[in-house]
Amino acid sequence: MATPENKLAFDGGWAYDPAPESTDHISLKKRYGLFIGGEFVAPENSRYFDTINPANEQKLARVAEASEADVDRAVKAARAAYSGVWSRMPAKERGKYIYRIARIMQERAREFAAIESLDGGKPIRESRDIDVPLAAAHFFYYAGWADKLDYAFPGQRAKPLGVAGQIIPWNFPLLMAAWKIAPALATGNTVVLKPAETTPLTALKLAEVIADAGLPPGVVNIVTGAGKTGAAIVNHPGVDKIAFTGSTNVGRIIQRALAGTRKKYTLELGGKAANVVFADAAIDQAVEGIVNGIFFNQGHVCCAGSRLLVQESVADEVVAKLKERMETLIVGDPLDKNTDIGAINSSMQLEKIQSYLKIGKEEGGEMHQSACRLPKKGYWCRPTIFTGVAQSNRVVQEEIFGPVLAIQTFRSFDEALAKANNTPYGLSGGVWTDKGAKIFKMTQGLRAGVVWANTFNKFDPTSPFGGYKESGVGREGGLHGLDAYVKLGAR
Ligand code: NAP
Ligand code: MG
């Protein structure tokens, strides 16, 4: 707890000198075309849109808007590369190209990290230490599988599906591109990928890396645009598989569009995870985990711990410590290495979060925000918690996708489990306790794809990821991630 002396430090905020990451080493073009058939080409209707830096609302570049005709060009390029080169290439050779992508990405890691923070608003510490290294790790991991598919699927023969259409969101732009592209290539498929409208730049940089790695033209195609471009990929008859990560609403639209077609699909959708803290947990450690679970990446995390269930006997202590910790979080310039919470990704997302803050208060919740100052320009949200909320409240049930935590209490194990599972989602969960038996019981009872014990938001390419219920269909990552890109037959 804060003593009177260090309380002063909290009230005044932590005084750190600015430590901005340099942007001298990055190169951005003024305008980006579509990456089709191994080169950047103009969109057929010559339409471009701006991508901005959400921390200062300044334009970073203009980006092509792909029409249906452009998507068709990309799918044809992917098909030609699939039939002509990629599916026939010895698997060992395919693996070499994927390794090469991973290595070039590592060499250019600082550039990728800075661009990810500029375009999306996430703190440089995260893009530098999490997004970019994990993206490279995914390419390394799946490069290793390329010539070992016989061991991944013993006794069976794994054949590629063909052309994979891949659509990704704005919260982990480069990492989601890596999650999608790496297993598709390792299994012999070719790709048409669409990044989100607000964060296209690292995918376009990845296109440069792919060209530098010498991948045969058309193996990976990157088409930028908004929802309509995504829909054109989903509905294109030449696509054999759809891999989508995004909201449950768009996931439903896609599932309806694919019903009755021969296309295989995986959907990674929303979440409303509970962090369950028992009285016997290491409380300080749990508070750090709660903070990491919901304030990491501004809460723009599908598997964010956006609900806290805390055992009644320690609830006051946990909430007091959490409030104290929240005061020390630095909200501001994403490029500053001291920043804990960066910019909200877009004005639309900020409006959505603010509407939930209003709803939470109207529903009778008690809202508490840290007292930090916010920059004048850009999109910002203070770390926020709601106490006194009921299970039926919208801030408890619905995905907010911002730094907003709904806190409830429980008395018994069964009550905690029932409350944690009382959600349409089932992507992730967390359990904090000193007792291994409670961890096992909770992880077996929680209907969630990933459950972290005494930690939160940890990722690894070897570990499968995906949801129960309305959080999705299928798994990405690990061996399971290969399965989504192959058809299995007899040897
Ligand atoms: P979104 O609105 O569903 O968009 C996701 C992607 O789909 C974007 O590229 C989007 O394009 C595109 N899109 C929009 N409408 C489409 C349509 N009718 N057909 C095809 N594509 C379409 O989601 P978001 O707001 O970007 O991302 C946040 C959501 O993603 C959250 O719900 C979060 O939980 C989820 N998410 C899930 C995971 C997971 O692994 N389960 C991981 C990360 C995020 P534009 O953005 O360009 O319009
Ligand atoms: Mg942007």
Side-chain angles (χ1 to χ4, degrees):
M1 295 296 282
T3 61
E5 303 88 74
N6 65 22
K7 183 84 174 48
L8 278 176
F10 288 144
D11 285 346
W14 295 99
Y16 286 112
D17 286 335
E21 170 76 7
S22 151
T23 51
D24 297 347
H25 57 289
I26 70 170
S27 80
L28 281 177
K29 289 192 256 183
K30 281 211 168 79
R31 202 168 80 166
Y32 283 90
L34 305 165
F35 187 69
I36 297 178
E39 54 184 359
F40 282 97
V41 298
E44 55 104 37
N45 58 13
S46 306
R47 280 169 62 170
Y48 292 83
F49 60 93
D50 291 346
T51 185
I52 65 155
N53 177 348
N56 59 19
E57 299 168 55
Q58 278 169 11
K59 181 168 96 181
L60 292 165
R62 284 182 71 68
V63 176
E65 186 184 327
S67 65
E68 267 181 42
D70 294 316
V71 168
D72 183 54
R73 254 197 303 172
V75 172
K76 285 188 173 132
R79 174 66 56 195
Y82 174 76
S83 314
V85 196
W86 198 245
S87 65
R88 298 166 175 216
M89 188 182 281
K92 196 173 71 184
E93 296 304 312
R94 277 206 313 265
K96 285 185 197 167
Y97 284 106
I98 308 170
Y99 276 123
R100 220 177 280 162
I101 297 173
R103 281 198 301 267
I104 300 174
M105 191 181 276
Q106 280 186 323
E107 281 161 16
R108 292 173 58 175
R110 283 188 63 214
E111 188 183 6
F112 271 107
I115 295 174
E116 199 72 306
S117 286
L118 283 170
D119 202 16
K122 66 173 61 197
I124 186 73
R125 232 173 38 211
E126 283 169 17
S127 31
R128 182 195 64 196
D129 297 347
I130 296 165
D131 296 64
V132 179
L134 265 179
H138 266 83
F139 280 105
F140 274 119
Y141 174 74
Y142 282 111
W145 274 120
D147 63 351
K148 300 174 196 70
L149 296 180
D150 287 349
Y151 301 95
F153 305 102
Q156 290 168 293
R157 176 141 179 256
K159 290 193 197 142
L161 300 171
V163 175
Q166 309 183 321
I167 299 161
I168 57 174
W170 43 259
N171 59 343
F172 290 91
L174 181 68
L175 182 59
M176 290 298 113
W179 276 31
K180 300 264 182 290
I181 294 174
L185 296 188
T187 45
N189 299 276
T190 57
V191 165
V192 176
L193 174 121
K194 188 196 94 66
E197 189 182 353
T198 57
T199 55
L201 292 180
T202 45
L204 293 165
K205 278 276 148 190
L206 179 59
E208 291 176 7
V209 167
I210 283 165
D212 289 351
L215 247 77
V219 171
V220 175
N221 304 275
I222 295 185
V223 290
T224 43
K228 266 177 85 177
T229 306
I233 297 176
V234 170
N235 295 320
H236 196 292
V239 168
D240 301 293
K241 184 227 153 74
I242 291 293
F244 171 79
T245 296
S247 60
T248 295
N249 271 343
V250 175
R252 277 199 198 97
I253 295 172
I254 292 179
Q255 203 172 28
R256 273 199 293 270
L258 296 180
T261 72
R262 62 180 173 82
K263 292 174 195 169
K264 238 183 146 170
Y265 60 88
T266 41
L267 306 172
E268 301 284 356
L269 309 175
K272 191 74 183 179
N275 240 326
V276 182
V277 178
F278 287 98
D280 59 16
I283 297 295
D284 289 336
Q285 194 184 327
V287 168
E288 275 312 299
I290 296 160
V291 165
N292 175 33
I294 186 60
F295 301 135
F296 168 53
N297 199 21
Q298 300 70 252
H300 297 338
V301 184
C302 50
C303 51
S306 51
R307 293 184 292 149
L308 168 63
L309 295 173
V310 54
Q311 197 150 19
E312 208 172 81
S313 56
V314 291
D316 290 346
E317 182 189 354
V318 168
V319 172
K321 285 189 166 176
L322 187 59
K323 285 182 175 171
E324 198 172 278
R325 181 70 176 93
M326 282 163 66
E327 291 304 321
T328 69
L329 294 173
I330 299 172
V331 181
D333 181 7
L335 284 182
D336 193 313
K337 290 162 199 147
N338 296 319
T339 295
D340 298 299
I341 299 183
I344 300 302
N345 183 263
S346 65
S347 60
M348 261 165 46
Q349 187 59 27
L350 181 58
E351 272 168 36
K352 180 179 162 192
I353 296 168
Q354 283 167 341
S355 78
Y356 273 107
L357 301 186
K358 200 161 155 261
I359 290 166
K361 283 186 283 187
E362 283 167 4
E363 285 175 326
E366 192 179 318
M367 185 174 96
H368 172 87
Q369 294 189 305
S370 77
C372 64
R373 273 192 295 270
L374 300 180
K376 290 211 167 47
K377 283 245 358 113
Y379 316 128
W380 310 96
C381 180
R382 294 188 174 86
T384 306
I385 58 174
F386 276 102
T387 48
V389 287
Q391 194 64 35
S392 58
N393 287 173
R394 286 181 65 191
V395 288
V396 174
Q397 285 293 325
E398 297 175 19
E399 186 184 46
I400 300 173
F401 225 56
V404 183
L405 177 69
I407 304 179
Q408 296 173 278
T409 60
F410 66 88
R411 289 185 180 167
S412 68
F413 181 96
D414 290 342
E415 185 188 352
L417 183 60
K419 279 184 166 162
N421 278 334
N422 184 355
T423 161
Y425 294 111
L427 194 55
S428 64
V431 50
W432 298 83
T433 168
D434 196 29
K435 300 281 179 291
K438 261 191 219 162
I439 291 176
F440 286 123
K441 211 171 148 198
M442 189 52 79
T443 49
Q444 275 164 16
L446 270 180
R447 307 242 313 130
V450 184
V451 184
W452 288 288
N454 294 328
T455 186
F456 208 85
N457 272 343
K458 293 278 182 277
F459 303 94
D460 190 278
T462 61
S463 171
F465 186 88
Y468 282 56
K469 301 191 271 185
E470 291 184 22
S471 287
V473 179
R475 295 289 178 268
E476 290 186 319
L479 261 175
H480 301 63
L482 291 170
D483 194 50
Y485 286 94
V486 296
K487 44 181 179 280
L488 296 173
R491 277 257 176 89

